[in-house]
Amino acid sequence: MIVTTTPSVEGCKIVEYKGIVFGEVIAGVNVIKDMVAGLSNFFGGRSATYEDELIQARQQAVAEMQQRAAQMGANAVVGVDIDYEVLGTDNGMLMVTASGTAVVIQ
């Protein structure tokens, strides 16, 4: 399945619009990972712990969006947008949402 942020796929024609499709993931960061990330914050530098969580959540959200598009009979998703939010009283949850338009291309 082709997934793109552009409104079309070069060299292909959109022959059917199936509708808007979403993939959502809410991921929590556990206490151990939070402590390791806190060390990066204290000493400076990047937090590989949080980056890995973000990468996994994004990949899962896109995969879920693709799966839902396929269930609708689409073979591509165009106009993809990925959003990030932090949730929870202590901002310990990460929400990643992938959305786009499920289409059939030729």
Side-chain angles (χ1 to χ4, degrees):
M1 176 169 298
I2 295 174
V3 176
T4 181
T5 59
T6 59
S8 61
V9 178
E10 187 174 342
C12 296
K13 179 181 178 184
I14 295 175
V15 294
E16 186 177 356
Y17 288 87
K18 295 292 189 174
I20 298 171
V21 64
F22 296 90
E24 304 92 0
V25 172
I26 298 178
V29 179
N30 66 35
V31 175
I32 303 299
K33 289 181 181 179
D34 208 23
M35 288 187 328
V36 171
L39 292 174
S40 293
N41 187 34
F42 181 76
F43 292 109
R46 295 170 58 166
S47 171
T49 304
Y50 282 158
E51 287 177 1
D52 290 344
E53 287 291 330
L54 183 62
I55 290 167
Q56 288 178 10
R58 183 178 59 241
Q59 289 172 340
Q60 290 170 358
V62 171
E64 185 174 291
M65 179 186 65
Q66 287 177 285
Q67 185 177 36
R68 289 179 178 166
Q71 290 171 349
M72 296 168 76
N75 64 357
V77 182
V78 297
V80 173
D81 180 51
I82 299 175
D83 293 311
Y84 305 90
E85 295 288 333
V86 288
L87 305 171
T89 55
D90 61 351
N91 293 330
M93 304 293 285
L94 172 67
M95 179 176 70
V96 179
T97 305
S99 61
T101 303
V103 297
V104 176
I105 58 173
Q106 288 183 336

